[in-house]
C-alpha cells in the first residue's frame, strides 16, 4: 500500500518489517519520531532511555541476546554514545544492530552542526544514508542484512530534511528473526588480549565492506546527457542535484557513505571531464577522492557551513534560476520564544532580577537566553550546566557562589546532570543547582522520562523522585518552588545562594502545553488603571503587547498564569472575570 | 506535469502541520509523487515556521527554494511578506490578514511594518487577502484558520470538492469534522 510518511516514520516501518524487536533511544530533534512511530507496533518493545549511551548499550544487549535491535539519537547524542560505539565495532553483533543518527545541518534545533559521517570512519562501522522516505524504509531493512552478514553494527544516517520530509513509500510484511545466544568470550569480552585479536577482524571487515560497496545496488550511477562533468553525491544533496540539473550530467548516488568504494569512484572519475562532489557540511567524500589521487572540486564550491539548498547547487553549477520579488520593507525576525504560560518564564525573570550568572543547559529553557530576559550565560551540551557550575565555583574559590546558578531541565538532569551533581557533592562545591521540572521532555515534543511516572507507551511506571535522588547523592538542602509564584522564587533562591553548602532548588510546574494542565481564565487589562509603564513587558510573554500606550492581553494566547499580574504595581492586570 | 509547489508559512503553533497533512492526503489520493517538508523542534516555539508541499510526476527536492512557489499560503501577514522572494513570477499569495507581533516588536526593538498588503500589491504580487481568523471564529473556533485557508486555496486547484472533503475526513478528529468543513466552506466562499 502506498503511504505518505515522514522519513523517521519510514525508518520505523523498516525496523518493523526487518523484525526488529528491541528499540531504546533518547529523544532529540530531528530523530525523535523514529522511536515514537516504532512504539506503535505491538511486536516491537520500545523505550526512552535516560541517555544515548544507555540506549546504545541496551540495544547491544538485545543484539547479544539474539534479537534485532535499534537505538536512535540526534548527532550530538552520538557523542554521548561514542564510548560503546567504538567497542561494539570490535565485538560485532549476534542479531543485527542498527544505530540511527540524525544530523541537523543548518542547526534548526541544535547547538552545533557536526557531521556524523566522521564517526562511521573512525569507529570503522558501515553507514547507510537514505535520501527520502522510500530509501529510509529500504535502507533500514538492508542495514540489518549487512549487520548480520558482516558481523557489525550499522549506522543509519538521517538528516533534518530526510527525517522531517514526508514522501511516498510502499510498505511490506514483517519477518521474525531470532538468533540463539551463545557464550563467546573472545568475541564479546573486550579486555586487551581479546581486543587485540578483534582489531584485525575489524580491519578485514572494512576491506570486505569496500568490496561490497564496489557493486552494491545502493551505490548507483545515473547516466547523463554530457560527460563534461560528473557528480558524486548522496542524501538530500542528491535530490538537489537532480532537481536542478535533471539528467544533464552523470551522477554517482552513494547510498552507503562508509566505507566508500574505490575502483568504482576511480572509474567514474575517468569517465568524466570534471568531477564535482556535492555534499552537505564537511568534504568527507571529497577527502576520500583526494586520497585516491583523483582531481575533484567540492568544498571550494559548496560551503561546509549551513545546510545545502537547491539554489546554491544551481548557482555553483551555472544553472539559470529566477528568484521572486524581495519586498522593500524591514521585516522583523520572528525568533522562537517561551510559550505563554511557560513555567520557565517566572524563574528566569527572578534570575535576571537578581543579576545572577546562569550556566544553562539544553531544552526549551535555553530560550531564557533570548531578549528580553537574556538570563543565561552559557549553554554547551546536555548536563554541562551542573558540571560547569562546579568548575566555575571552584575557580572563583567560592567568591561568586551567591551570584551563580545552574539551570537544567528534569529530563536533561536525568540524562547527564546527575553525574555533575555527584561531583558537586563529592568534591564539595558550595553552589546552587536549579532543576526546572516541567514533568516532561519539552523541546522535542513531549516525551516521557524517568521523572514523569509514565513510559514511552504512556503506561504508568516507576517514577524517580528528584528530591530523594538529590539527597541520596549528598545534597542536604533540597527545596521546591512554584515558578508562577515570583515572591517565593525570589525568597528561596536568595536563601539557597546564601547557604553555606551546595543546594538544589526544584522549580516545579508542568509544561503549559500538556493536555492535562488546566488553565485559568485569561487576564485582561483594566485600562483605567494601566499607566503604560511596561513592567509587564519585562517577562517577554507573547500574549502581552502595548497598544495605544496601554498593555493589552491576547485572550487567545493567555493561559492565566498570573506572572504578569505580580509585576503590575497598579493592579491593572486581572483575571477577565474580575475586571 | 510540471511539479507544483505550495509553501505554507506562519507562526509556530498556528496549525500549519494539519494543513500540510490535509494537502498530502488529498494529493496522494490523486496518484502524484509528493514531498512534504516540515519543521519540528525549537522553531515551533512561536517562531517563524514554513512547510513545503511539492507534487507532480517525480519530485526530487524536499524543499522549495527562492522563485519556485506557485502558491504561498500564509497564516499571518508579516510571514507572507517574509517569504515573497520564494514566489514564482506569476504565483499567488493567499494570506490571513491577522497580525501577530514577533518578540522584537513586542519589546519595542523593531516595528511591525505598515500596510504590508499594499506593499506586496505595489510590488506586483498577486495577493488574495482574507480575514481567516474572523471566518474561523464564525465557524466556531479560532484554531480553524488552517481549514479556512485550505478552503481558499481549493479555489485555485482543479480538484473536485468531494476529494477535499474526503481528505478533511481523513485528517481531523470526527468530533471536529463539521466545524472544520464549515471553516473550509467559509474560506472557499469568502
Amino acid at each position: 500500500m502506498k503511504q505518505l510518511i515522514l522519513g523517521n516514520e519510514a525508518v520505523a516501518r523498516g525496523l518493523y518489517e526487518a523484525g526488529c524487536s528491541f528499540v531504546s533511544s533518547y529523544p532529540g530533534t530531528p530523530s525523535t519520531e523514529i522511536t515514537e512511530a516504532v512504539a506503535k507496533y505491538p511486536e516491537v518493545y520500545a523505550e526512552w532511555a535516560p541517555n544515548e549511551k544507555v540506549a546504545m548499550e541496551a540495544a547491544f544487549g538485545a543484539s547479544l541476546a539474539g534479537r534485532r535491535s535499534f537505538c536512535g539519537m540526534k548527532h550530538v547524542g552520538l557523542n554521548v554514545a561514542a564510548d560503546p560505539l567504538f567497542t561494539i565495532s570490535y565485538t560485532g553483533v549476534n542479531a543485527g544492530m542498527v544505530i540511527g543518527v540524525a544530523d541537523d545541518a543548518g542547526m534548526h534545533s541544535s547547538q552545533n552542526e557536526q557531521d556524523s559521517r566522521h564517526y562511521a570512519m573512525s569507529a570503522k562501522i558501515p553507514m547507510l544514508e537514505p535520501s527520502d522516505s522510500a530509501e529510509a524504509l529500504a535502507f533500514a531493512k538492508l542495514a540489518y542484512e549487512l549487520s548480520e552478514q558482516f558481523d557489525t553494527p550499522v549506522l543509519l544516517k538521517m538528516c533534518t530534511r530526510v527525517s522531517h520530509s514526508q514522501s511516498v513509500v510502499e510498505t511490506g510484511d514483517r519477518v521474525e528473526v531470532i538468533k540463539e545466544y551463545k557464550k563467546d568470550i573472545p568475541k564479546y569480552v573486550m579486555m586487551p588480549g581479546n581486543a587485540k585479536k578483534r582489531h584485525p577482524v575489524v580491519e578485514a571487515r572494512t576491506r570486505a565492506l569496500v568490496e561490497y560497496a564496489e557493486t552494491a545496488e545502493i551505490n548507483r550511477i545515473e547516466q547523463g546527457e554530457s560527460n563534461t562533468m560528473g557528480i558524486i553525491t548522496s542524501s538530500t544533496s542528491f535530490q538537489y542535484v537532480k532537481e536542478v540539473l535533471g539528467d544533464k550530467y552523470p551522477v554517482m548516488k552513494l547510498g552507503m557513505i562508509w566505507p566508500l568504494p574505490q575502483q568504482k569512484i576511480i572509474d567514474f572519475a575517468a569517465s568524466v571531464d570534471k568531477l564535482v562532489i556535492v555534499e552537505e557540511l564537511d568534504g568527507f567524500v571529497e577527502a576520500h577522492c583526494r586520497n585516491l589521487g583523483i582531481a575533484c572540486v567540492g568544498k571550494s564550491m559548496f560551503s561546509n557551513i549551513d545546510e545545502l539548498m537547491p539554489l546554491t547547487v544551481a548557482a555553483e553549477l551555472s544553472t539559470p534560476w529566477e528568484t521572486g520579488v524581495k519586498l522593500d520593507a524591514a521585516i522583523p525576525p520572528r525568533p522562537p520564544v517561551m510559550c505563554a504560560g511557560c513555567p520557565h518564564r517566572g524563574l528566569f525573570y527572578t534570575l535576571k532580577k537578581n543579576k545572577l550568572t546562569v550556566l544553562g543547559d539544553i531544552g526549551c529553557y535555553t530560550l531564557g537566553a533570548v531578549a528580553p530576559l537574556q538570563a543565561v550565560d552559557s549553554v554547551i551540551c546536555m548536563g554541562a550546566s551542573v558540571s560547569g557550575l562546579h568548575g566555575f565555583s571552584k575557580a572563583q574559590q567560592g567568591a561568586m557562589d551567591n551570584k551563580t546558578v545552574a539551570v537544567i531541565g528534569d529530563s536533561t538532569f536525568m540524562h547527564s546532570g546527575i553525574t555533575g551533581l555527584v561531583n558537586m557533592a563529592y568534591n564539595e562545591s558550595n553552589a546552587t543547582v536549579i532543576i526546572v521540572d516541567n514533568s516532561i521532555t519539552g523541546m522535542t515534543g513531549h516525551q516521557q522520562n524517568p521523572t514523569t511516572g509514565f513510559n514511552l507507551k504512556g503506561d504508568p511506571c516507576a517514577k524517580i523522585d528528584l528530591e530523594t535522588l538529590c539527597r541520596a547523592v549528598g545534597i542536604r538542602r533540597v527545596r521546591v518552588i512554584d515558578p508562577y509564584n515570583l515572591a517565593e522564587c525570589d525568597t528561596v533562591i536568595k536563601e539557597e545562594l546564601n547557604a553555606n553548602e551546595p543546594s538544589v532548588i526544584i522549580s516545579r510546574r508542568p509544561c503549559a502545553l500538556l493536555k492535562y494542565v488546566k488553565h485559568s481564565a485569561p487576564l485582561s487589562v483594566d485600562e483605567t488603571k494601566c499607566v503604560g509603564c511596561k513592567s509587564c513587558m519585562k517577562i517577554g510573554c507573547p500574549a502581552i503587547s502595548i497598544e495605544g500606550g496601554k498593555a493589552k492581553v491576547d485572550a487567545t494566547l493567555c493561559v492565566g498564569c498570573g506572572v504578569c499580574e505580580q509585576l503590575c504595581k497598579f493592579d491593572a492586570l486581572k483575571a477577565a472575570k474580575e475586571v | 506535469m510540471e511539479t507544483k509547489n505550495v509553501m505554507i508559512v506562519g507562526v509556530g503553533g498556528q496549525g500549519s502541520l494539519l494543513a500540510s497533512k490535509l494537502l498530502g492526503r488529498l494529493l496522494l489520493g490523486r496518484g502524484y509523487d509528493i514531498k512534504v517538508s516540515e519543521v519540528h523542534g525549537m522553531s515551533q516555539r512561536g517562531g517563524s515556521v514554513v512547510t513545503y508541499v511539492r507534487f507532480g510526476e517525480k519530485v526530487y527536492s524536499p524543499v522549495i527554494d527562492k522563485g519556485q512557489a506557485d502558491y504561498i499560503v500564509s497564516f499571518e501577514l508579516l510571514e507572507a511578506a517574509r517569504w515573497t522572494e520564494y514566489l514564482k513570477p506569476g504565483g499567488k499569495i493567499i494570506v490571513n490578514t491577522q497580525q501577530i507581533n514577533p518578540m522584537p516588536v513586542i519589546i519595542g526593538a523593531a516595528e511591525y511594518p505598515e500596510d504590508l498588503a499594499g506593499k506586496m500589491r505595489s510590488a506586483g504580487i498577486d495577493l488574495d487577502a482574507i480575514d481567516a481568523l474572523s471566518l474561523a471564529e464564525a465557524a466556531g473556533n479560532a484554531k480553524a484558520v488552517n481549514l479556512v485557508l485550505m478552503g481558499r486555496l481549493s479555489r485555485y486547484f482543479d480538484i473536485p470538492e468531494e476529494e477535499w472533503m474526503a481528505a478533511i475526513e481523513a485528517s481531523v478528529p470526527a468530533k471536529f469534522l463539521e466545524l472544520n468543513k464549515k471553516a473550509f466552506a467559509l474560506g472557499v466562499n469568502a
Side-chain angles (χ1 to χ4, degrees):
Chain A
M1 188 179 111
K2 275 195 174 177
Q3 291 182 39
L4 180 67
I5 59 175
L6 282 178
N8 281 347
E9 292 167 336
V11 171
R13 182 70 202 184
L15 301 180
Y16 166 77
E17 290 180 13
C20 171
S21 54
F22 179 92
V23 173
S24 184
S25 303
Y26 186 80
T29 312
S31 71
T32 311
E33 300 82 3
I34 300 173
T35 303
E36 288 181 324
V38 86
K40 297 197 172 105
Y41 296 105
E43 295 90 340
V44 184
Y45 170 83
E47 66 179 22
W48 291 127
N51 68 35
E52 296 84 354
K53 180 179 186 288
V54 172
M56 189 180 289
E57 290 156 352
F60 172 73
S63 159
L64 188 67
R67 300 296 184 277
R68 286 188 167 180
S69 69
F70 175 85
C71 57
M73 58 204 67
K74 67 185 294 177
H75 58 325
V76 287
L78 193 53
N79 301 334
V80 178
D83 196 358
L85 180 79
F86 280 73
T87 303
I88 295 169
S89 171
Y90 276 35
T91 62
V93 302
N94 182 17
M97 173 174 171
V98 176
I99 299 156
V101 57
D103 283 14
D104 189 19
M107 292 177 273
H108 298 273
S109 203
S110 302
Q111 67 269 38
N112 74 30
E113 54 182 350
Q114 67 186 59
D115 187 331
S116 293
R117 294 177 298 174
H118 300 291
Y119 269 114
M121 184 170 70
S122 55
K124 303 169 196 285
I125 292 174
M127 175 181 266
L128 306 184
E129 190 178 36
S131 67
D132 59 18
S133 297
E135 283 192 349
L137 195 163
F139 287 15
K141 291 166 79 172
L142 175 64
Y144 282 104
E145 301 299 323
L146 296 178
S147 175
E148 288 169 8
Q149 183 185 343
F150 292 93
D151 191 7
T152 177
V154 175
L155 285 155
L156 183 67
K157 182 195 169 254
M158 304 291 284
C159 66
T160 299
R161 298 300 183 184
V162 176
S163 286
H164 288 166
S165 289
Q166 300 175 48
S167 56
V168 183
V169 302
E170 292 257 18
T171 55
D173 295 330
R174 175 175 169 91
V175 294
E176 292 295 342
V177 178
I178 293 175
K179 309 259 179 194
E180 199 181 324
Y181 170 69
K182 284 198 295 275
K183 184 164 177 154
D184 188 346
I185 290 174
K187 185 174 187 303
Y188 293 120
V189 180
M190 285 303 93
M191 55 191 189
N194 293 339
K196 268 178 187 288
K197 295 191 185 84
R198 289 300 298 177
H199 189 187
V201 174
V202 171
E203 299 302 331
R205 180 179 74 201
T206 298
R207 288 193 293 277
L209 280 159
V210 171
E211 284 305 308
Y212 170 80
E214 300 287 358
T215 55
E217 278 177 33
I218 61 170
N219 292 336
R220 66 172 191 267
I221 293 169
E222 296 192 357
Q223 297 304 330
E225 292 148 17
S226 160
N227 279 11
T228 52
M229 182 164 73
I231 294 161
I232 302 181
T233 186
S234 70
S235 186
T236 44
S237 305
F238 164 76
Q239 306 289 6
Y240 302 151
V241 165
K242 294 299 281 186
E243 179 74 32
V244 170
L245 296 170
D247 297 330
K248 204 168 171 189
Y249 303 110
V251 173
M252 179 185 285
K253 196 273 185 190
L254 295 167
M256 182 154 96
I257 205 70
W258 188 260
L260 289 160
Q262 295 176 0
Q263 196 58 45
K264 191 173 192 138
I265 289 177
I266 290 168
D267 293 345
F268 181 72
S271 73
V272 296
D273 298 344
K274 179 185 178 186
L275 184 64
V276 178
I277 316 296
V278 184
E279 58 187 324
E280 206 162 63
L281 297 178
D282 297 338
F284 183 83
V285 177
E286 184 184 359
H288 177 73
C289 291
R290 291 189 194 285
N291 283 341
L292 293 172
I294 297 169
C296 60
V297 184
K299 288 294 129 183
S300 59
M301 225 178 225
F302 302 102
S303 172
N304 61 0
I305 297 166
D306 209 346
E307 65 176 336
L308 197 61
M309 293 298 268
L311 186 52
T312 320
V313 176
E316 293 300 332
L317 298 178
S318 315
T319 309
W321 191 293
E322 194 179 353
T323 65
V325 183
K326 192 168 165 52
L327 215 58
D328 183 24
I331 307 292
R334 190 185 299 274
V337 294
M338 286 178 195
C339 307
C342 176
H344 302 326
R345 180 173 286 108
L347 178 82
F348 280 106
Y349 169 77
T350 308
L351 302 181
K352 182 186 167 116
K353 183 174 152 233
N354 284 287
K355 298 188 175 67
L356 302 185
T357 298
V358 178
L359 286 92
D361 223 297
I362 306 286
C364 286
Y365 47 92
T366 308
L367 292 170
V370 304
L373 289 165
Q374 294 174 301
V376 177
D377 292 66
S378 76
V379 172
I380 307 296
C381 63
M382 300 281 285
S385 60
V386 184
S387 22
L389 174 67
H390 172 77
F392 198 92
S393 164
K394 286 288 181 187
Q396 292 273 349
Q397 296 181 319
M400 278 181 71
D401 282 354
N402 61 352
K403 281 283 168 199
T404 313
V405 295
V407 174
I408 185 167
D410 47 331
S411 188
T412 309
F413 181 73
M414 292 312 301
H415 177 283
S416 47
I418 180 68
T419 39
L421 192 66
V422 168
N423 194 37
M424 279 180 58
Y426 171 49
N427 287 308
E428 300 179 328
S429 53
N430 176 23
T432 302
V433 172
I434 301 175
I435 302 174
V436 284
D437 176 9
N438 64 352
S439 308
I440 203 74
T441 311
M443 179 62 85
T444 44
H446 286 177
Q447 288 73 35
Q448 303 296 341
N449 70 54
T451 70
T452 65
F454 295 91
N455 63 22
L456 167 57
K457 305 235 180 194
D459 298 325
C461 63
K463 183 179 191 296
I464 300 274
D465 184 282
L466 282 171
E467 292 92 312
T468 310
L469 178 64
C470 294
R471 287 193 187 100
V473 305
I475 305 293
R476 287 180 299 183
R477 296 185 71 99
V478 180
R479 310 275 298 271
V480 178
I481 56 174
D482 176 0
Y484 278 1
N485 184 338
L486 295 181
E488 181 187 53
C489 282
D490 193 63
T491 307
V492 171
I493 288 170
K494 282 193 171 101
E495 282 171 11
E496 293 312 313
L497 282 168
N498 290 313
N500 213 13
E501 59 180 301
S503 56
V504 170
I505 300 169
I506 299 168
S507 173
R508 179 169 286 148
R509 178 162 284 267
C511 171
L513 299 182
L514 282 167
K515 287 207 169 69
Y516 68 78
V517 171
K518 293 222 178 348
H519 293 152
S520 305
L523 269 57
S524 63
V525 177
D526 183 343
E527 291 194 3
T528 61
K529 289 181 179 171
C530 177
V531 299
C533 72
K534 298 186 181 172
S535 288
C536 54
M537 303 293 288
K538 288 180 193 163
I539 49 174
C541 176
I544 311 175
S545 55
I546 297 283
E547 266 181 36
K550 305 270 184 189
K552 185 178 172 233
V553 175
D554 181 340
T556 64
L557 287 176
C558 177
V559 298
C561 77
V563 169
C564 61
E565 187 179 353
Q566 297 167 60
L567 295 175
C568 182
K569 296 189 183 87
F570 302 94
D571 212 20
L573 282 152
K574 281 287 159 202
K577 58 180 181 333
E578 295 174 35
V579 174
Chain B
M1 113 182 199
E2 202 180 322
T3 299
K4 288 277 177 201
N5 300 311
V6 182
M7 279 172 73
I8 302 169
V9 303
V11 179
Q14 275 192 298
S16 60
L17 285 184
L18 175 65
S20 61
K21 186 168 139 191
L22 172 66
L23 275 184
R25 281 189 200 271
L26 173 78
L27 297 165
L28 186 69
R30 310 208 104 220
Y32 292 118
D33 189 23
I34 310 164
K35 283 196 173 149
V36 179
S37 191
E38 310 166 349
V39 176
H40 301 209
M42 185 179 264
S43 321
Q44 279 183 295
R45 300 278 174 260
S48 175
V49 293
V50 54
T51 304
Y52 308 101
V53 179
R54 311 193 68 215
F55 61 102
E57 277 181 26
K58 174 69 189 167
V59 178
Y60 286 106
S61 169
V63 300
I64 295 167
D65 215 326
K66 290 174 185 170
Q68 275 194 311
D70 296 281
Y71 299 95
I72 295 177
V73 179
S74 182
F75 281 54
E76 197 270 350
L77 189 61
L78 180 66
E79 294 309 308
R82 187 185 311 285
W83 296 95
T84 57
E85 250 187 308
Y86 285 72
L87 195 66
K88 185 183 274 183
K92 183 187 282 290
I93 296 182
I94 296 160
V95 63
N96 173 18
T97 51
Q98 185 187 359
Q99 297 190 12
I100 301 173
N101 287 335
M103 194 50 67
V105 171
I106 289 175
I107 64 172
E111 298 259 326
Y112 196 107
E114 299 272 319
D115 189 28
L116 282 171
K119 284 193 172 88
M120 283 189 270
R121 289 201 174 100
S122 308
I125 290 166
D126 181 3
L127 197 72
D128 182 2
I130 60 168
D131 181 356
L133 179 60
S134 298
L135 293 168
E137 282 166 350
N141 192 324
K143 291 204 166 96
V145 162
N146 44 21
L147 266 293
V148 173
L149 290 170
M150 286 300 102
R152 197 66 183 179
L153 179 67
S154 76
R155 284 167 60 132
Y156 307 108
F157 279 22
D158 189 18
I159 295 177
E161 193 188 321
E162 59 265 26
E163 288 185 36
W164 282 96
M165 289 304 136
I168 294 172
E169 281 164 23
S171 306
V172 305
K175 62 175 173 174
F176 299 122
L177 187 59
E178 283 318 304
L179 170 91
N180 279 301
K181 281 185 171 176
K182 195 172 170 192
F184 184 87
L186 287 174
V188 176
N189 300 318

